Amino acid sequence: MIQEMAKDVVNAKERCMDAYEKAVTLQEKLNDAITLIDPSEQLETLPEGGLFHGVPIALKDNVNTKGILTTAGSRILSNYVPVYDAEIVTKLKKEGAVIIAKASMDELAMGGTNLTCFTGPSLNPWDTNRMTGGSSGGSAAMVASGVVPMAIGSDTGDSIRKPASFCGIVGVKPTYGRISRYGIIPYASSLDHVGYFTRSIEDACISLQALAGRDDRDMTSSFKEVPDYLGLLNSDMNGKKIAIFGNVQDALTNPETKEMFAKLMHALEERGAKVDVFYFSEELMKAMLPTYYLIANCEATSNHSNLDGIRFGVREKGDSMEEIMINSRTKGFGPLIRKRFVIGSYGLFEENQDKLFRKAQKVRRLIVNELNKCLGEYDCLIAPASNDIAPLLNDTSRDQLSDGYLIVENHMVIGNFSGYPSMTVPMGFEEGCPIGVNLTCKAFDEVTMFNIGKAIEEITGYKDLTAEVK
Amino acid sequence: MEYVATIGIEIHCELKTNTKMFSGAPCSFGRKANTCTNEIDLGEPGTMPCVNMEAVAKAIEACTALHLTIDPLVKFDRKNYYYSDLPKGFQITQQFHPIGRDGYIMIHTSEGEKKIRINRIHMEEDTAKQFHLTSKTLLDYNRAGTPLIEIVSEPDMKNGEEAQAYVEALRQTLLYLGVSDVKMEEGSMRCDVNISIAPVGSNTLGTKNEIKNINSISNVGKAIEYEIKRQKEILEEGGVIHQETRRFDDKTGETILMRRKEGNVDYKFFPEPNIFPIRLDENWIKDIQANMKELPEERKERYAKEYGLSDHDINILIGNKEMSEFFEEVMKSTKDAKNVCNWLLSDVSGWLNKHGETITTTKLEPQNLAKLIAMIDDGKISTKQAKEIVDDLMEGKDPEVVVKEKGLEQVSDTGLIESLVQKVLDENPQAIEDFKAGKDRAVGFLVGQVMKASKGQANPGMVNEILRNAIKERI
């Protein structure tokens, strides 16, 4: 779709204005944007050509845009106008992309519901009584509702891949270092990835083509050459070795999801793939979520120490600098964020680091070692992205210590622990709402990931799915 | 009771690099506030650090000069704390893997030479500068992110003199390397002193106090001597020394309590996730080490060998790097090292002090000083005459021209001196009698008369020689 749009130069202006108007209309129903941007000005200075020439896109609101409000979904940044563009913004603009929205997100990208944004929850385009998932929920909703063909997200635990599942679209988290993080308001630096949503695998290929590459301002970005993803796209499954994530499959409680997944695996086999079940140590599986929370919260508490109201952001009154900082931080963050900062800080105390933060990092290595074992033998690790479709907005019934929650709802964090490429593709529908399947491949092997994704897309026929928002 | 002090010193030194430690903003001193910053220095959301390899190279030079073992795997850590001068809410430093460990420097004091061990050198970034006014605080972020090295000594010093010598030796070494401006008054070199005292022979150390904000090398000595006295008095009165952070007030010469330490602050150090460990190429390190500038100790050896100067003269010359470099410039046009050194350390230095200038700010040309010394050595002018034209010399004038203009040229014409001598001898028969009677000072009198007759322009050496011969002929 992106390719066709970029070629259709004549209609660029109309297309972008239409997208903007659609976004304005849907905003009332979905609340999926924090800032809507009238594209008129950008359209006047559009460069010639480019992979995204005249293609309307949305950015998660933790992507810095020079001169345009960037809040990261947090009250403390609700007046923050960046002085510089994120690297990917520069790249996308060079390719001719037109930014029409800064999308809603969970506060500071922490959370999986998109209920914690300071502008309120964003709603699922397939069923507005349901969540989009988070933290990149606004971006997912804008792609799923057909406003834009591509939206940027960020993924620290599964913040792209979970909402992609709930919104019936493709959600890609490429390899750590593949896309520059410079100018993305962070959550947890060692787990943070920039990624995106599209409605087809082709669009996913083109998007990565435009976004990937070394950036000297992000020392963790890779020097590896960026392959021609679209040119290399090939859905032939002959000889492909696929490992079903056994622990996740066993923990599924939803029979519909189970059956849907089994059918998909069978279809991949019929296309010539060799499909086996691979089991991780159950202990490590159960340790995944606590390990994730510790590392993420520890890094987050440090990363967000700059949000003190002194140089930027909302400054509260106080009699001293210290008081200003304390008041600004107390009022500027939601309760969930404050809780996470306390946990992170506790984990970093010198007397706790050995038994908490450093231990979590050791467990992280053990988990990655297991994944390496699996991907040493297989091209891809595959599992449903969730047990169920998107939860209802008022659903607080989850038992956070059940196997279902610990494993089924959080297994995708393995892609963040390892940094390996991982993506969610639509798998099917239950009660008129979508649910996705997740694949994780070897480091920098996005090509294989797209190829398997393409085969799945062909099997399900879910390409360019758009929700009719009621 | 006799007490012994145990002193360790931490020195922060700004590295002289073009850009900051983790950002591309320029490093500067004295520029308009907040003009040398970018989004990284201000800790704007989304920014990421990028290691300045020029700073790493300078740190390697410092480590090498101070004999530390270099860790070729460079890693950085976060030191987390909230303070208004710390934009990110953490400082990027090297807590767990400093770039260098276990070195030393030699110091010279009245008790001779001593080795002071250096525990570690690590790289980090500077904070913003604060100006506290009565109703508000101003922040200048130009300094934020400037590369620093922190040099941590072992507690090997016993008194103010040693501490002062240590800081001076470090200052000299870093200055000669060219890695830092090392100006304590401008804050490009900052010194924190840790000091405790204990009774002589005691196996346990006393309670440590830290003295901050010492703004000159001589104040390092003063602060320590004051602190030793203060602690001694407390102990002798049966008091208890608390662990404190104090600052030195150079107006009163006293140390003043800033805060008491209640246990150590937890900085929650952890590895910086945005900088992967950097494996330094062995050849890159070797290349840096091979191209290092001459160190003070090396220069001392060279001066003794090449120029045969005394240790005393060498130490004074080397103590002033610019003077030492000027000395070498002069030596390109002369071989008389002893006289060049004397002139620089006496007449030239005297003139500079009097006029509030330095050797780099004057118009004095190295060749002109060499020329002047050659003119003395060749007997063209007397030392006394030379001293008369110091002002002209310092203003950049050619001594040959000045001497001509002022008609100061020394008379070395044998015939002319001969005739003056005969005239003086004719006029002073009594002096000849005195000489005969063995009164050698008569010669001095006669020389004086000849000089007077020549209006001071006769070559005194020649006058002396000719006069003696002439007297002998008359006896």
Side-chain angles (χ1 to χ4, degrees), chain A residues 298-452:
Chain A
C298 287
E299 290 184 12
T301 184
S302 170
N303 277 340
H304 293 307
S305 299
N306 62 340
L307 306 179
D308 54 16
I310 300 286
R311 294 163 312 282
F312 47 78
V314 178
R315 183 193 292 177
E316 298 295 339
K317 288 201 170 73
D319 287 337
S320 64
M321 295 271 258
E322 199 186 328
E323 230 181 85
I324 290 171
M325 286 160 93
I326 290 170
N327 292 345
S328 300
R329 287 176 68 81
T330 306
K331 289 192 185 162
F333 298 124
L336 183 77
I337 301 298
R338 291 205 299 272
K339 185 173 123 190
R340 291 202 187 204
F341 285 169
V342 170
I343 294 169
S345 214
Y346 183 79
L348 282 179
F349 283 149
E350 208 179 310
E351 69 265 31
N352 297 338
Q353 270 208 31
D354 266 336
K355 56 179 195 276
L356 295 173
F357 183 60
R358 289 192 200 111
K359 191 172 185 180
Q361 284 178 320
K362 280 181 199 154
V363 176
R364 175 179 178 174
R365 262 196 298 283
L366 293 177
I367 294 169
V368 174
N369 287 347
E370 292 249 312
L371 180 62
N372 286 339
K373 248 190 268 167
C374 171
L375 292 177
E377 284 177 57
Y378 297 94
D379 297 306
C380 169
L381 176 69
I382 194 164
S386 173
N387 190 56
D388 303 294
I389 57 169
L392 292 164
L393 289 170
N394 57 8
D395 179 7
T396 49
S397 66
R398 283 154 187 258
D399 174 1
Q400 300 216 346
L401 290 175
S402 72
D403 284 3
Y405 187 76
L406 278 180
I407 296 171
V408 183
E409 297 308 327
N410 293 290
H411 67 87
M412 289 191 288
V413 76
I414 205 164
N416 304 81
F417 284 162
S418 61
Y420 298 167
S422 182
M423 116 177 138
T424 297
V425 184
M427 174 168 72
F429 281 81
E430 295 167 19
E431 301 171 48
C433 283
I435 187 163
V437 62
N438 177 257
L439 356 162
T440 301
C441 293
K442 296 182 184 82
F444 295 100
D445 194 10
E446 279 85 0
V447 171
T448 298
M449 182 173 81
F450 290 145
N451 287 345
I452 297 171

Side-chain angles (χ1 to χ4, degrees), chain B residues 3 207 230-242:
Chain B
Y3 291 92
T207 304
R230 185 186 73 88
Q231 294 189 19
K232 211 189 257 181
E233 280 169 10
I234 293 174
L235 292 180
E236 276 168 358
E237 284 164 15
V240 178
I241 293 172
H242 295 282

Side-chain angles (χ1 to χ4, degrees), chain A residues 55-298:
Chain A
V55 176
I57 62 161
L59 305 172
K60 186 173 179 175
D61 208 28
N62 60 355
V63 179
N64 269 345
T65 41
K66 188 176 175 176
I68 298 170
L69 190 70
T70 301
T71 69
S74 183
R75 192 186 165 274
I76 199 164
L77 287 173
S78 58
N79 64 354
Y80 176 61
V81 179
V83 294
Y84 73 104
D85 273 333
E87 169 70 8
I88 58 160
V89 172
T90 309
K91 284 195 142 196
L92 286 167
K93 279 185 175 169
K94 264 192 203 144
E95 295 292 347
V98 176
I99 302 159
I100 65 154
K102 301 295 297 286
S104 172
M105 59 184 284
D106 276 308
E107 181 172 8
L108 301 175
M110 299 189 204
T113 60
N114 220 104
L115 301 175
T116 64
C117 186
F118 81 106
T119 56
S122 72
L123 309 179
N124 195 310
W126 296 95
D127 178 351
T128 51
N129 291 315
R130 293 182 184 274
M131 304 175 190
T132 52
S135 63
S136 315
S139 297
M142 295 195 86
V143 172
S145 58
V147 173
V148 289
M150 194 279 275
I152 296 292
S154 67
D155 187 316
T156 305
D158 54 19
S159 279
I160 289 172
R161 293 161 294 157
K162 192 54 92 51
S165 175
F166 292 158
C167 293
I169 51 178
V170 177
V172 180
K173 178 206 79 66
T175 311
Y176 190 82
R178 185 72 290 186
I179 301 178
S180 166
R181 288 183 288 123
Y182 193 82
I184 312 298
I185 301 177
Y187 167 8
S189 306
S190 78
L191 299 164
D192 282 351
H193 294 66
V194 178
Y196 52 88
F197 300 93
T198 60
R199 291 195 298 274
S200 72
I201 300 294
E202 272 92 351
D203 284 356
C205 290
I206 292 167
S207 300
L208 191 54
Q209 202 87 46
L211 293 164
R214 166 73 186 180
D215 171 15
D216 286 338
R217 293 180 298 174
D218 172 1
M219 287 189 85
T220 67
S221 76
S222 172
F223 286 96
K224 263 197 191 342
E225 229 176 274
V226 181
D228 174 8
Y229 297 110
L230 192 60
L232 291 167
L233 192 59
N234 175 359
S235 61
D236 183 4
M237 288 294 101
N238 279 307
K240 287 277 178 293
K241 293 169 82 178
I242 294 171
I244 292 172
F245 206 143
N247 315 61
V248 179
Q249 182 175 249
D250 290 1
L252 288 172
T253 53
N254 182 337
E256 274 183 83
T257 307
K258 259 184 174 173
E259 200 195 321
M260 201 186 287
F261 182 66
K263 268 189 188 162
L264 179 65
M265 293 307 102
H266 185 64
L268 282 170
E269 265 179 328
E270 281 189 331
R271 284 179 159 239
K274 185 176 175 294
V275 181
D276 290 333
V277 182
F278 186 95
Y279 282 92
F280 284 64
S281 139
E282 192 73 7
E283 269 185 334
L284 286 178
M285 284 294 99
K286 286 182 182 164
M288 271 210 292
L289 186 63
T291 301
Y292 165 72
Y293 269 128
L294 249 169
I295 296 173
N297 290 341
C298 287

Side-chain angles (χ1 to χ4, degrees), chain B residues 306-326:
Chain B
E306 260 178 46
Y307 304 124
L309 296 173
S310 71
D311 282 356
H312 177 261
D313 286 352
I314 290 175
N315 279 331
I316 299 180
L317 258 189
I318 303 259
N320 183 337
K321 181 163 176 271
E322 278 119 13
M323 191 62 93
S324 152
E325 265 140 31
F326 192 87

